[in-house]
Amino acid sequence: MPLENAPTLTLHHADSISSAAVMATGIWQVHALADRGAIKTIIKTLASLKDNSKLAWDLSGIVSLDHIGAQMFWNCWGKQRPAQLTLAPKQEELFKRIEEACVAQVVKPRRSRLTAVMILGFAIMSFFEHLRGFIGLIGQVVQDLLRFARHPTTGPWREISANIFHAGFQALGITALVGFLIGVVLSFLSAQQLRTFGGDMYLVNILGMSVIRELGPLLAAILVAGRSGSSITAQLGVMRVTEELDAMLVMGISHGYRLIMPKVLALAISMPLLVVWTDAMALIGGMVSAQMELNLSARYFLQKLPDAVPLANYVIGLLKGVVFGMLIALVSCHFGLRIKPNTESLGHGTTTAVVTAITVVILADAVFAIIFSGVGFD
């Protein structure tokens, strides 16, 4: 059934086509134009009348007109008003907005005049500004820890427990899987080389030392930085976007005592436990691979491991876990508190926090390697 007041165009001829008049009637809105393919007929008719500047147009008979219908007329007129045009009072404002939009020009962005030296200078200034804020955050956490030590009964125990659960317990699955696979791969590749030189028995030394001293803590830290570090930054960023951080200040609640310190303590507690868990999974994976490649039994592996890896390496690995956990929490909180109240800053801040946390962990691991270079090899 055809729509009442369907959009129509009527061409009234005079002496010639140049002096003809076009009258539009009906409803020129998107729902009417889309009914039964009416828009195809309208477009075909308008195309035949395009670029004829001597036509007289009368749109006063249109019942209702929206932006879609007006734009069709505007395109037919060559994006300018014809010399002879009759409009209803309500239509004048609509075509005026379309005309202003066509005249408006997009401002071209100015070319940056920063030289390479200036860009480097700004990067160095930004680095020292972040460093200053990070050191200030460490000082705030130390003050909050002293306050917590003086009044432990009023401390944020629930926040600490919740963060241990999220950052520690929920990370057991992924760390076990990755640790087991890394152990299998490392044992398999080492076995290939040791078999060439007849040094099968030294697989326990290589695998135990590399996993317990280096790979276990570093692997657990990288996984926690990507998993829990991003979560911490995103959580603080969303609180900034939703103005929850401002509300906490108004209520007299300290950000450091209720948000930052619990996360630092939680990761300092859970990271060493994750290091032990990752070490165990990696060694189990290495034992499985050693059994398959070199036919070394699990009993032999467990008997030789204490002699192959001195206890000092185990302590160094746990110490790395504590330091790595605190660094991840501090870096994540630092960038989370600096997020601006918009979604773009939230995404950029989360990405930057993860990359920076992993970089800081690797740098700290290098410092540990230098400091303890002569420890644990007796």
Side-chain angles (χ1 to χ4, degrees):
M1 183 176 181
L3 181 71
E4 294 184 3
N5 292 325
T8 56
L9 281 175
T10 306
L11 180 63
H12 298 280
H13 294 280
D15 298 336
S16 63
I17 186 67
S18 61
S19 59
V22 180
M23 180 175 294
T25 57
I27 299 176
W28 284 71
Q29 292 182 332
V30 64
H31 69 277
L33 293 170
D35 184 67
R36 298 181 182 274
I39 192 170
K40 295 182 180 179
T41 306
I42 295 296
I43 291 176
K44 185 177 180 180
T45 305
L46 289 174
S48 63
L49 302 175
K50 192 175 182 180
D51 300 329
N52 192 343
S53 58
K54 296 184 179 181
L55 283 174
W57 292 81
D58 185 4
L59 309 185
S60 58
I62 294 179
V63 177
S64 58
L65 178 69
D66 64 2
H67 186 274
I68 301 299
Q71 190 66 47
M72 294 176 64
F73 284 115
W74 189 256
N75 294 337
C76 177
W77 298 339
K79 300 187 182 302
Q80 61 181 357
R81 295 196 182 204
Q84 303 179 53
L85 176 62
T86 304
L87 297 175
K90 295 181 179 180
Q91 299 169 357
E92 184 67 34
E93 182 65 25
L94 180 59
F95 281 101
K96 184 178 179 181
R97 290 198 301 269
I98 295 177
E99 189 173 12
E100 291 175 352
C102 291
V103 174
Q105 296 181 354
V106 179
V107 180
K108 295 182 179 180
R110 297 177 59 184
R111 289 187 59 186
S112 176
R113 297 184 179 181
L114 297 177
T115 62
V117 177
M118 296 173 66
I119 294 175
L120 178 62
F122 281 121
I124 294 175
M125 291 175 60
S126 176
F127 169 76
F128 281 106
E129 195 270 335
H130 278 285
L131 183 62
R132 178 178 176 273
F134 187 73
I135 294 174
L137 183 64
I138 293 176
Q140 180 183 353
V141 171
V142 171
Q143 291 181 345
D144 292 331
L145 287 173
L146 294 176
R147 174 187 170 187
F148 181 51
R150 288 195 302 266
H151 307 285
T153 56
T154 60
W157 290 103
R158 289 188 177 182
E159 289 84 351
I160 296 173
S161 176
N163 281 282
I164 290 176
F165 174 76
H166 292 301
F169 178 76
Q170 292 186 339
L172 292 178
I174 185 63
T175 51
L177 176 62
V178 175
F180 181 83
L181 295 178
I182 290 294
V184 170
V185 172
L186 182 61
S187 178
F188 176 78
L189 295 178
S190 301
Q192 297 292 327
Q193 299 300 318
L194 292 174
R195 181 185 298 165
T196 305
F197 301 100
D200 299 358
M201 65 183 65
Y202 295 106
L203 177 63
V204 180
N205 301 63
I206 295 176
L207 189 63
M209 185 67 77
S210 59
V211 167
I212 293 177
R213 186 181 177 104
E214 290 295 334
L215 283 181
L218 191 60
L219 185 62
I222 292 175
L223 291 174
V224 170
R227 183 187 177 278
S228 303
S230 60
S231 175
I232 291 172
T233 305
Q235 177 187 4
L236 295 177
V238 170
M239 294 181 71
R240 174 71 69 189
V241 173
T242 57
E243 299 182 351
E244 292 181 53
L245 295 179
D246 297 333
M248 290 180 64
L249 290 179
V250 172
M251 297 170 63
I253 301 175
S254 172
H255 293 165
Y257 194 70
R258 289 293 174 179
L259 295 178
I260 301 175
M261 187 194 69
K263 292 176 172 54
V264 174
L265 282 179
L267 282 178
I269 295 172
S270 58
M271 268 299 298
L273 302 178
L274 285 176
V275 169
V276 175
W277 174 255
T278 307
D279 290 346
M281 292 298 106
L283 292 175
I284 291 174
M287 284 191 291
V288 172
S289 180
Q291 175 72 33
M292 297 174 61
E293 289 295 319
L294 301 177
N295 199 25
L296 294 178
S297 65
R299 175 178 296 180
Y300 173 80
F301 200 98
L302 294 176
Q303 287 177 349
K304 295 291 293 182
L305 188 62
D307 298 329
V309 184
L311 182 62
N313 296 281
Y314 193 73
V315 177
I316 291 173
L318 295 180
L319 183 60
K320 283 184 179 182
V322 176
V323 175
F324 291 169
M326 296 178 67
L327 287 175
I328 292 170
L330 288 170
V331 170
S332 302
C333 291
H334 169 74
F335 285 98
L337 294 175
R338 298 172 71 89
I339 289 177
K340 299 177 182 178
N342 59 75
T343 54
E344 182 180 0
S345 177
L346 177 61
H348 180 266
T350 304
T351 304
T352 306
V354 173
V355 174
T356 306
I358 294 176
T359 305
V360 169
V361 164
I362 295 175
L363 290 175
D365 186 67
V367 172
F368 269 96
I370 295 172
I371 295 176
F372 298 100
S373 59
V375 180
F377 296 99
D378 298 332

